[in-house]
Structure formats: C-alpha cells, structure tokens
Amino acid sequence: YIRSLQDYVILLLKEGNKDKPLWMLAKYNCSEVSWLVGLKVAQELGEHSDPFTLKGDVNNGVEKEYNIHDILGYLDPKTQKYIILDPTIWQFYPNVESIYIGSYETIDEAISNISKHYQGEWKLSYYIKDIHEDVSENLKIIRTNCNQAPNWE
C-alpha cells in the first residue's frame, strides 16, 4: 500500500516536470503533498485511519529556509499501528527509495522517533478530517512550485 502512495506522490510532483529531479520538485511542497496523500489514505482506508500531519524542524545541515517540514501519519486499520511517511523526503535525502519512515504503537512514540531521526522538535499539527474538501488549490500550489523549480540536477 505504501508503494502505491509513493507512486501517487511521484505522479503529483512529476506531472508536467518529468525532467526535473524529485529532490528539486519536493521542495516547498511538503504541506500540500502530505495533505493530499492523507486525504487519499482517508478515502481508501476509511475515516478510522485518522490521517494526520506532523510538523517540525529538520536539522541535518540543510539550508535554514527548508527546515520547517510536514510529514504524514495514519493508523493502519490492520495492524493498529501508526504509519509515518515523509511524502517529500527527497528534498532532504535525494537518494532515498521509500517515503516510509516507520510504524509505531502511539503518536507520541512516532513523534519521539521522528524528532531523533530529523534532529529537531516535532508535534502533531492537524488531523485530515474533511475527505470531500476541494483539492484544486493544493494541486495548483504544487504545480506552481514544481514549474518554478530550476531545471538542473
């Protein structure tokens, strides 16, 4: 299932920008992409999947302007564990092959591990509740950001 979500992210980022690298396209899009993927999770797995975003700092030597970051979590209905994904992970780790970060018993455990992984402070930002919300504004923001990304690797 996670692979299908990752394919969806790549489709969102690469649409109209197939020649640009993912790390470049992922920049400035973490909030919008996390929300859209969370919406997809809620629609496919149901409201009990409780998708949410975590917001925090990434302190891995990356330029300061990129340090505030959003990632996605949801409750896997089969395992009853919280799955954490970073849908725009390539902006920080260009060669990573998966958006999967980990699976945790509680949101607090997830936040603790994410804080260690990204070496910054993290918190629960919001739950993605309205699965019928209009996605056009977020798609427009992603498209604009991707179109403005430089064409170099």
Side-chain angles (χ1 to χ4, degrees):
Y1 182 67
I2 293 168
R3 183 63 201 193
S4 72
L5 294 176
Q6 181 169 317
D7 290 344
Y8 175 63
V9 169
I10 293 169
L11 180 71
L12 285 173
L13 294 173
K14 287 282 195 175
E15 186 176 318
N17 289 289
K18 296 191 182 343
D19 294 335
K20 295 179 183 177
L22 274 175
W23 71 266
M24 183 61 67
L25 297 171
K27 288 183 181 184
Y28 309 116
N29 284 314
C30 62
S31 298
E32 294 79 15
V33 171
S34 290
W35 182 81
L36 286 168
V37 175
L39 193 63
K40 185 173 181 62
V41 167
Q43 291 168 342
E44 293 178 353
L45 298 183
E47 62 185 52
H48 299 296
S49 61
D50 284 335
F52 57 89
T53 63
L54 299 174
K55 184 177 284 292
D57 300 314
V58 176
N59 294 315
N60 64 348
V62 178
E63 296 174 47
K64 203 65 173 160
E65 67 180 290
Y66 306 127
N67 280 5
I68 303 300
H69 189 48
D70 289 353
I71 61 177
L72 176 70
Y74 67 91
L75 182 63
D76 183 322
K78 291 179 184 170
T79 65
Q80 291 300 298
K81 290 191 177 195
Y82 290 95
I83 307 300
I84 304 297
L85 307 175
D86 184 346
T88 58
I89 193 168
W90 301 287
Q91 68 183 303
F92 301 110
Y93 304 102
N95 298 317
V96 165
E97 293 186 18
S98 177
I99 63 174
Y100 176 76
I101 300 297
S103 114
Y104 306 95
E105 298 292 329
T106 66
I107 292 175
D108 287 340
E109 180 189 8
I111 290 171
S112 175
N113 280 286
I114 296 305
S115 295
K116 290 174 191 166
H117 178 77
Y118 286 112
Q119 302 174 8
E121 291 187 32
W122 286 78
K123 65 180 181 180
L124 178 64
S125 183
Y126 63 88
Y127 284 92
I128 300 164
K129 292 288 185 193
D130 186 357
I131 64 169
H132 302 292
E133 192 169 336
D134 183 20
V135 300
S136 62
E137 187 60 31
N138 280 331
L139 290 172
K140 181 180 172 186
I141 292 168
I142 292 167
R143 201 65 40 243
T144 299
N145 289 343
C146 289
N147 288 340
Q148 292 174 355
N151 232 351
W152 49 274
E153 294 197 33

